[in-house]
Amino acid sequence: FLTKKFTDPIRDLANTAHLFGIGRLEYRVHIQSNDELGELGNAFNLMATHIEDTTQKLERDKDIISAERNKIAVI
């Protein structure tokens, strides 16, 4: 029981990190504890949210720049 209490959250974090690493930015870990593993999970989720938000902003900015370039090309 004690081993499972530690290995399951670590496995969840590793699996989520792998998915996140291959571009699945919507994934978050689900660690339900108030110990160091819970803190690590919360830190990962916060980092993931910031990366996802930044990536979305960059995509929007790229679309705006592309639209502006198209306007200039027409002129």
Side-chain angles (χ1 to χ4, degrees):
F1 170 76
L2 192 57
T3 303
K4 189 170 175 57
K5 180 182 176 189
F6 291 108
T7 58
D8 284 353
I10 293 169
R11 189 174 294 120
D12 182 30
L13 181 58
N15 290 337
T16 304
H18 172 74
L19 290 167
F20 196 83
I22 62 171
R24 303 293 305 271
L25 303 183
E26 72 277 9
Y27 278 86
R28 300 296 184 271
V29 294
H30 304 287
I31 299 175
Q32 303 292 323
S33 66
N34 295 321
D35 58 8
E36 290 83 358
L37 286 173
E39 288 180 28
L40 182 59
N42 289 333
F44 178 90
N45 288 341
L46 182 60
M47 176 201 67
T49 297
H50 287 306
I51 291 172
E52 184 178 28
D53 291 347
T54 300
T55 301
Q56 289 172 353
K57 183 182 181 316
L58 288 171
E59 288 296 320
R60 286 190 305 271
D61 290 350
K62 185 180 84 171
D63 292 342
I64 291 168
I65 290 168
S66 180
E68 290 300 316
R69 281 187 182 153
N70 289 337
K71 286 181 189 176
I72 292 170
V74 172
I75 295 175

mmCIF file of all heavy atoms in Angstrom, residues 35-62:
data_model
loop_
_atom_site.group_PDB
_atom_site.id
_atom_site.type_symbol
_atom_site.label_atom_id
_atom_site.label_comp_id
_atom_site.label_asym_id
_atom_site.label_seq_id
_atom_site.Cartn_x
_atom_site.Cartn_y
_atom_site.Cartn_z
ATOM 1 N N ASP A 35 1.645 16.555 0.249
ATOM 2 C CA ASP A 35 3.064 16.354 0.538
ATOM 3 C C ASP A 35 3.914 16.890 -0.618
ATOM 4 O O ASP A 35 3.435 17.637 -1.468
ATOM 5 C CB ASP A 35 3.357 14.873 0.810
ATOM 6 C CG ASP A 35 2.964 13.969 -0.359
ATOM 7 O OD1 ASP A 35 2.611 14.489 -1.442
ATOM 8 O OD2 ASP A 35 3.009 12.743 -0.193
ATOM 9 N N GLU A 36 5.167 16.500 -0.646
ATOM 10 C CA GLU A 36 6.082 16.979 -1.678
ATOM 11 C C GLU A 36 5.638 16.564 -3.078
ATOM 12 O O GLU A 36 5.817 17.315 -4.039
ATOM 13 C CB GLU A 36 7.508 16.476 -1.413
ATOM 14 C CG GLU A 36 8.173 17.107 -0.208
ATOM 15 C CD GLU A 36 7.789 16.451 1.121
ATOM 16 O OE1 GLU A 36 6.958 15.509 1.119
ATOM 17 O OE2 GLU A 36 8.313 16.889 2.150
ATOM 18 N N LEU A 37 5.037 15.385 -3.211
ATOM 19 C CA LEU A 37 4.538 14.960 -4.524
ATOM 20 C C LEU A 37 3.392 15.855 -4.988
ATOM 21 O O LEU A 37 3.305 16.197 -6.172
ATOM 22 C CB LEU A 37 4.086 13.501 -4.485
ATOM 23 C CG LEU A 37 5.198 12.465 -4.437
ATOM 24 C CD1 LEU A 37 4.614 11.070 -4.233
ATOM 25 C CD2 LEU A 37 6.030 12.512 -5.700
ATOM 26 N N GLY A 38 2.542 16.237 -4.059
ATOM 27 C CA GLY A 38 1.462 17.166 -4.398
ATOM 28 C C GLY A 38 2.006 18.517 -4.817
ATOM 29 O O GLY A 38 1.514 19.129 -5.775
ATOM 30 N N GLU A 39 3.034 18.986 -4.121
ATOM 31 C CA GLU A 39 3.660 20.254 -4.493
ATOM 32 C C GLU A 39 4.295 20.158 -5.869
ATOM 33 O O GLU A 39 4.208 21.099 -6.673
ATOM 34 C CB GLU A 39 4.726 20.643 -3.463
ATOM 35 C CG GLU A 39 4.152 21.091 -2.131
ATOM 36 C CD GLU A 39 5.236 21.472 -1.146
ATOM 37 O OE1 GLU A 39 6.336 21.903 -1.581
ATOM 38 O OE2 GLU A 39 4.991 21.346 0.064
ATOM 39 N N LEU A 40 4.936 19.040 -6.152
ATOM 40 C CA LEU A 40 5.549 18.834 -7.460
ATOM 41 C C LEU A 40 4.481 18.811 -8.553
ATOM 42 O O LEU A 40 4.643 19.417 -9.616
ATOM 43 C CB LEU A 40 6.350 17.533 -7.470
ATOM 44 C CG LEU A 40 7.097 17.197 -8.758
ATOM 45 C CD1 LEU A 40 8.096 18.282 -9.118
ATOM 46 C CD2 LEU A 40 7.803 15.854 -8.597
ATOM 47 N N GLY A 41 3.382 18.129 -8.288
ATOM 48 C CA GLY A 41 2.281 18.100 -9.249
ATOM 49 C C GLY A 41 1.702 19.474 -9.493
ATOM 50 O O GLY A 41 1.439 19.859 -10.640
ATOM 51 N N ASN A 42 1.520 20.250 -8.426
ATOM 52 C CA ASN A 42 1.006 21.614 -8.575
ATOM 53 C C ASN A 42 1.971 22.486 -9.366
ATOM 54 O O ASN A 42 1.554 23.285 -10.214
ATOM 55 C CB ASN A 42 0.727 22.240 -7.210
ATOM 56 C CG ASN A 42 -0.477 21.637 -6.532
ATOM 57 O OD1 ASN A 42 -1.389 21.134 -7.186
ATOM 58 N ND2 ASN A 42 -0.491 21.668 -5.209
ATOM 59 N N ALA A 43 3.268 22.340 -9.096
ATOM 60 C CA ALA A 43 4.275 23.111 -9.828
ATOM 61 C C ALA A 43 4.258 22.732 -11.312
ATOM 62 O O ALA A 43 4.342 23.602 -12.185
ATOM 63 C CB ALA A 43 5.662 22.883 -9.231
ATOM 64 N N PHE A 44 4.150 21.433 -11.605
ATOM 65 C CA PHE A 44 4.078 20.989 -12.997
ATOM 66 C C PHE A 44 2.857 21.592 -13.672
ATOM 67 O O PHE A 44 2.953 22.114 -14.792
ATOM 68 C CB PHE A 44 4.022 19.460 -13.080
ATOM 69 C CG PHE A 44 3.906 18.962 -14.498
ATOM 70 C CD1 PHE A 44 5.042 18.688 -15.230
ATOM 71 C CD2 PHE A 44 2.670 18.797 -15.098
ATOM 72 C CE1 PHE A 44 4.945 18.242 -16.548
ATOM 73 C CE2 PHE A 44 2.563 18.359 -16.399
ATOM 74 C CZ PHE A 44 3.701 18.079 -17.128
ATOM 75 N N ASN A 45 1.704 21.529 -13.010
ATOM 76 C CA ASN A 45 0.474 22.050 -13.605
ATOM 77 C C ASN A 45 0.558 23.551 -13.851
ATOM 78 O O ASN A 45 0.071 24.046 -14.872
ATOM 79 C CB ASN A 45 -0.728 21.710 -12.729
ATOM 80 C CG ASN A 45 -1.066 20.236 -12.794
ATOM 81 O OD1 ASN A 45 -0.673 19.525 -13.709
ATOM 82 N ND2 ASN A 45 -1.800 19.764 -11.799
ATOM 83 N N LEU A 46 1.157 24.285 -12.919
ATOM 84 C CA LEU A 46 1.320 25.723 -13.099
ATOM 85 C C LEU A 46 2.230 26.001 -14.294
ATOM 86 O O LEU A 46 1.925 26.847 -15.142
ATOM 87 C CB LEU A 46 1.894 26.351 -11.824
ATOM 88 C CG LEU A 46 2.068 27.861 -11.838
ATOM 89 C CD1 LEU A 46 0.738 28.566 -12.057
ATOM 90 C CD2 LEU A 46 2.700 28.319 -10.525
ATOM 91 N N MET A 47 3.351 25.284 -14.375
ATOM 92 C CA MET A 47 4.258 25.432 -15.505
ATOM 93 C C MET A 47 3.538 25.100 -16.809
ATOM 94 O O MET A 47 3.647 25.831 -17.803
ATOM 95 C CB MET A 47 5.464 24.500 -15.342
ATOM 96 C CG MET A 47 6.402 24.517 -16.529
ATOM 97 S SD MET A 47 7.450 23.053 -16.621
ATOM 98 C CE MET A 47 6.255 21.767 -16.976
ATOM 99 N N ALA A 48 2.777 24.011 -16.814
ATOM 100 C CA ALA A 48 2.066 23.583 -18.019
ATOM 101 C C ALA A 48 1.063 24.640 -18.459
ATOM 102 O O ALA A 48 0.939 24.925 -19.656
ATOM 103 C CB ALA A 48 1.368 22.252 -17.767
ATOM 104 N N THR A 49 0.367 25.245 -17.515
ATOM 105 C CA THR A 49 -0.601 26.292 -17.845
ATOM 106 C C THR A 49 0.096 27.493 -18.467
ATOM 107 O O THR A 49 -0.372 28.040 -19.472
ATOM 108 C CB THR A 49 -1.389 26.709 -16.592
ATOM 109 O OG1 THR A 49 -2.139 25.574 -16.131
ATOM 110 C CG2 THR A 49 -2.342 27.850 -16.881
ATOM 111 N N HIS A 50 1.220 27.891 -17.889
ATOM 112 C CA HIS A 50 1.962 29.027 -18.450
ATOM 113 C C HIS A 50 2.459 28.719 -19.862
ATOM 114 O O HIS A 50 2.373 29.571 -20.751
ATOM 115 C CB HIS A 50 3.138 29.405 -17.550
ATOM 116 C CG HIS A 50 2.740 30.079 -16.281
ATOM 117 N ND1 HIS A 50 1.943 31.198 -16.229
ATOM 118 C CD2 HIS A 50 3.039 29.787 -15.005
ATOM 119 C CE1 HIS A 50 1.755 31.572 -14.982
ATOM 120 N NE2 HIS A 50 2.410 30.716 -14.205
ATOM 121 N N ILE A 51 2.967 27.533 -20.074
ATOM 122 C CA ILE A 51 3.457 27.156 -21.408
ATOM 123 C C ILE A 51 2.299 27.107 -22.402
ATOM 124 O O ILE A 51 2.411 27.606 -23.527
ATOM 125 C CB ILE A 51 4.214 25.818 -21.359
ATOM 126 C CG1 ILE A 51 5.531 25.998 -20.601
ATOM 127 C CG2 ILE A 51 4.461 25.268 -22.771
ATOM 128 C CD1 ILE A 51 6.265 24.700 -20.316
ATOM 129 N N GLU A 52 1.191 26.523 -21.989
ATOM 130 C CA GLU A 52 0.036 26.443 -22.886
ATOM 131 C C GLU A 52 -0.476 27.842 -23.228
ATOM 132 O O GLU A 52 -0.742 28.144 -24.406
ATOM 133 C CB GLU A 52 -1.076 25.607 -22.254
ATOM 134 C CG GLU A 52 -2.259 25.409 -23.173
ATOM 135 C CD GLU A 52 -3.345 24.538 -22.574
ATOM 136 O OE1 GLU A 52 -3.487 24.494 -21.328
ATOM 137 O OE2 GLU A 52 -4.049 23.894 -23.356
ATOM 138 N N ASP A 53 -0.596 28.720 -22.241
ATOM 139 C CA ASP A 53 -1.053 30.092 -22.487
ATOM 140 C C ASP A 53 -0.107 30.835 -23.418
ATOM 141 O O ASP A 53 -0.532 31.529 -24.342
ATOM 142 C CB ASP A 53 -1.192 30.862 -21.171
ATOM 143 C CG ASP A 53 -2.330 30.363 -20.297
ATOM 144 O OD1 ASP A 53 -3.179 29.585 -20.790
ATOM 145 O OD2 ASP A 53 -2.360 30.739 -19.108
ATOM 146 N N THR A 54 1.193 30.705 -23.181
ATOM 147 C CA THR A 54 2.192 31.379 -24.015
ATOM 148 C C THR A 54 2.152 30.853 -25.442
ATOM 149 O O THR A 54 2.228 31.630 -26.406
ATOM 150 C CB THR A 54 3.600 31.204 -23.415
ATOM 151 O OG1 THR A 54 3.611 31.768 -22.102
ATOM 152 C CG2 THR A 54 4.657 31.875 -24.269
ATOM 153 N N THR A 55 2.009 29.548 -25.592
ATOM 154 C CA THR A 55 1.935 28.948 -26.922
ATOM 155 C C THR A 55 0.712 29.454 -27.672
ATOM 156 O O THR A 55 0.794 29.798 -28.864
ATOM 157 C CB THR A 55 1.910 27.412 -26.813
ATOM 158 O OG1 THR A 55 3.101 26.990 -26.139
ATOM 159 C CG2 THR A 55 1.829 26.745 -28.171
ATOM 160 N N GLN A 56 -0.417 29.546 -26.991
ATOM 161 C CA GLN A 56 -1.634 30.048 -27.629
ATOM 162 C C GLN A 56 -1.478 31.512 -28.032
ATOM 163 O O GLN A 56 -1.906 31.919 -29.117
ATOM 164 C CB GLN A 56 -2.833 29.868 -26.702
ATOM 165 C CG GLN A 56 -3.238 28.427 -26.540
ATOM 166 C CD GLN A 56 -4.308 28.230 -25.479
ATOM 167 O OE1 GLN A 56 -4.676 29.143 -24.752
ATOM 168 N NE2 GLN A 56 -4.803 27.002 -25.378
ATOM 169 N N LYS A 57 -0.843 32.296 -27.175
ATOM 170 C CA LYS A 57 -0.613 33.714 -27.498
ATOM 171 C C LYS A 57 0.305 33.834 -28.702
ATOM 172 O O LYS A 57 0.059 34.649 -29.597
ATOM 173 C CB LYS A 57 -0.011 34.452 -26.311
ATOM 174 C CG LYS A 57 0.185 35.934 -26.575
ATOM 175 C CD LYS A 57 0.826 36.646 -25.406
ATOM 176 C CE LYS A 57 0.997 38.128 -25.647
ATOM 177 N NZ LYS A 57 1.500 38.523 -26.923
ATOM 178 N N LEU A 58 1.350 33.042 -28.760
ATOM 179 C CA LEU A 58 2.255 33.080 -29.905
ATOM 180 C C LEU A 58 1.529 32.702 -31.197
ATOM 181 O O LEU A 58 1.773 33.303 -32.253
ATOM 182 C CB LEU A 58 3.447 32.153 -29.679
ATOM 183 C CG LEU A 58 4.465 32.635 -28.648
ATOM 184 C CD1 LEU A 58 5.468 31.528 -28.348
ATOM 185 C CD2 LEU A 58 5.174 33.879 -29.132
ATOM 186 N N GLU A 59 0.656 31.719 -31.123
ATOM 187 C CA GLU A 59 -0.126 31.327 -32.304
ATOM 188 C C GLU A 59 -1.038 32.464 -32.759
ATOM 189 O O GLU A 59 -1.138 32.735 -33.964
ATOM 190 C CB GLU A 59 -0.945 30.065 -32.026
ATOM 191 C CG GLU A 59 -0.120 28.798 -31.946
ATOM 192 C CD GLU A 59 0.554 28.455 -33.258
ATOM 193 O OE1 GLU A 59 -0.062 28.622 -34.336
ATOM 194 O OE2 GLU A 59 1.723 28.020 -33.225
ATOM 195 N N ARG A 60 -1.691 33.143 -31.801
ATOM 196 C CA ARG A 60 -2.550 34.278 -32.162
ATOM 197 C C ARG A 60 -1.714 35.395 -32.788
ATOM 198 O O ARG A 60 -2.105 35.974 -33.806
ATOM 199 C CB ARG A 60 -3.302 34.795 -30.934
ATOM 200 C CG ARG A 60 -4.442 33.904 -30.486
ATOM 201 C CD ARG A 60 -5.308 34.584 -29.422
ATOM 202 N NE ARG A 60 -4.568 35.046 -28.267
ATOM 203 C CZ ARG A 60 -4.319 34.318 -27.168
ATOM 204 N NH1 ARG A 60 -4.757 33.079 -27.091
ATOM 205 N NH2 ARG A 60 -3.646 34.838 -26.160
ATOM 206 N N ASP A 61 -0.561 35.686 -32.187
ATOM 207 C CA ASP A 61 0.320 36.731 -32.719
ATOM 208 C C ASP A 61 0.800 36.369 -34.124
ATOM 209 O O ASP A 61 0.880 37.225 -35.003
ATOM 210 C CB ASP A 61 1.514 36.965 -31.793
ATOM 211 C CG ASP A 61 1.124 37.621 -30.482
ATOM 212 O OD1 ASP A 61 -0.032 38.077 -30.344
ATOM 213 O OD2 ASP A 61 1.990 37.676 -29.579
ATOM 214 N N LYS A 62 1.122 35.102 -34.332
ATOM 215 C CA LYS A 62 1.560 34.637 -35.654
ATOM 216 C C LYS A 62 0.459 34.859 -36.684
ATOM 217 O O LYS A 62 0.725 35.308 -37.805
ATOM 218 C CB LYS A 62 1.949 33.159 -35.591
ATOM 219 C CG LYS A 62 2.518 32.626 -36.887
ATOM 220 C CD LYS A 62 2.889 31.171 -36.758
ATOM 221 C CE LYS A 62 1.638 30.373 -36.994
ATOM 222 N NZ LYS A 62 1.833 28.939 -37.117
#
